[in-house]
Amino acid sequence: MTPKQRHYGLCVLAGLCFAAAQAPLGIWPLLLVGFALSLKLLGNCTSAKHAAWTGWSVGAAYFAASLSWIIEPFLIDIAAHGWMAPFALLGMSAGLALFWALPFGIAVRLGKPASIIALWPLSEYARSTVFTGFPWGLNAYAWIDTPLAQIASFVGPHGLGALTLGAVALPMFWNLRKGAALGVSALIALALLGHLRISAAPEIAADAPLIRLTQPNAPQHQKWDPEFTGIFFRRQIIATQASPKPDLIIWPETSLPNWLNDAERTLAHIHEAARGTPVLFGAQRYEGLRVFNSLALLTVDGEIGQVYDKHHLVPFGEYLPLGPILGYLGMGTLTESFGGFAAGDGPELINLKGIGTALPLICYEAVFPHEMYSAEGRPDFLLHATNDAWFGTWSGPYQHLVQARFRAIEQGLPLMRSANTGVSAAIDANGRVLDSIPLGQAGFIDAALPPPLPATFYSRFGDIPALIALFFLLGVTLLPHVSRRN
């Protein structure tokens, strides 16, 4: 094996370490191994171009492994979309890896490899925001089942990822023995702080609202098949009318089997089954030629109350960027035959009398930590209705669940999650799963609504403090370089 082959082989290994640290494997020590190996490879780079290719190779291996579920939506209708599956995975992996190539190349171009500590998290923030953003698979998510995840309530996932990288980088860019001791001590101190936050969590009140989460388990290839829609609808009706009577019933995304505009008889059936309990359900609706992916409230009177329209749509899944051009090339959305959804007006709260206010999140909207806000104020809990049947049965649904749990930690709010095929879960304000329905299983759970925590530092200030700290660190790192040039 030549030195070049060995170098890029180690790049692939580093990427696979990052992937194995994420759900569903969740081997979090490999996150530290991935960072250490990546920084070692960066130190061996002889030019900015070499470093950029190194970062790209690590990123491409990571995204290809962790986002392998991306091919699943294309296999629902193989005849129409199957040909795009390999291009989707390769294109997504190669494109997202550019956000890792950039900081590696810049760090070596500046002659300050240590600047990667700030450049890499800043580039990950860019990945999360530019071109509508795709913050799936942030490195901090590897900490989900450890006390370190609680630090996201202070600095968010980008700040937590930067702290992790910094702890690993200390022995490599400063002093091996002292840096290792300081890095380990810092992670232990943060873990203790996270443990204290968990131990201070309040108990659920005896009179807390009881919320029912339903899961019909409708595979995507059968979801809209007339031979099966009645089966899935009956499963939800049975779950809805079961005793004891809850205070709120939540159905998952697009769980109404027909258009909301034309569902009078269907809604009457749901109202009868609910026996006076309000029901929140996912539905598709239209206004003229525009179609919306919505969450609607069926009130105790059997009337449609507030309706929330999903505002952050999935590119290529729910709408087609550069529609006329890509449509001419034969590409289309992976949703229904009508050609895609229109975006709603933005985040808004749903007022549930006797229960509180909820910030609704439909599917993909739960992956954006910087969008958990509403112009109407802070909610009492987060409400996530999703159809994870699109994501397959291996990694996608579990990664989506982890991100939803992080939103609860960051905001200090409980999260109630109803998923079409799973995992439906009641999650407390520390991101802990209190009860759940496994993936691929039909049923329901009744969960008492956990209390919210006081507004977290991250819920008040978002990513701004972490970004300021990263830019300050970058400036301090580059200051000697700039002074020498001057």
Side-chain angles (χ1 to χ4, degrees), residues 371-440:
E371 293 186 0
M372 298 295 107
Y373 304 97
S374 170
E376 300 158 334
R378 189 170 191 254
D380 297 301
F381 68 102
L382 304 174
L383 192 158
H384 189 202
T386 185
N387 176 21
D388 285 3
W390 286 108
F391 300 153
T393 58
W394 165 239
S395 60
Y398 298 108
Q399 292 173 4
H400 201 198
L401 173 64
V402 167
Q403 293 172 91
R405 292 172 64 188
F406 255 82
R407 302 298 85 82
I409 295 170
E410 294 153 8
Q411 299 298 317
L413 294 172
L415 185 146
M416 308 305 283
R417 186 175 200 260
S418 179
N420 172 31
T421 53
V423 178
S424 298
I427 300 167
D428 73 2
N430 291 111
R432 296 177 296 182
V433 176
L434 304 179
D435 199 0
S436 65
I437 308 174
L439 184 68

Side-chain angles (χ1 to χ4, degrees), residues 196-218:
L196 288 174
R197 186 172 185 270
I198 294 174
S199 62
E203 296 291 332
I204 300 177
D207 59 348
L210 191 66
I211 297 181
R212 177 166 297 168
L213 306 173
T214 68
Q215 182 168 298
N217 190 32

Side-chain angles (χ1 to χ4, degrees), residues 17-75:
C17 285
F18 284 121
Q22 298 287 337
L25 298 180
I27 310 174
W28 62 261
L30 290 181
L31 173 65
L32 306 178
V33 175
F35 274 135
L37 187 52
S38 298
L39 296 178
K40 177 64 175 175
L41 291 167
L42 175 66
N44 294 336
C45 292
T46 56
S47 66
K49 180 179 179 181
H50 188 199
W53 275 111
T54 296
W56 183 89
S57 300
V58 175
Y62 167 59
F63 291 117
S66 64
L67 299 181
S68 58
W69 57 264
I70 204 73
I71 68 172
E72 295 286 347
F74 298 91
L75 303 181

Side-chain angles (χ1 to χ4, degrees), residues 177-197:
R177 184 173 299 178
K178 294 180 180 179
L182 183 58
V184 171
S185 299
L187 291 179
I188 292 175
L190 291 174
L192 289 174
L193 177 60
H195 179 74
L196 288 174
R197 186 172 185 270

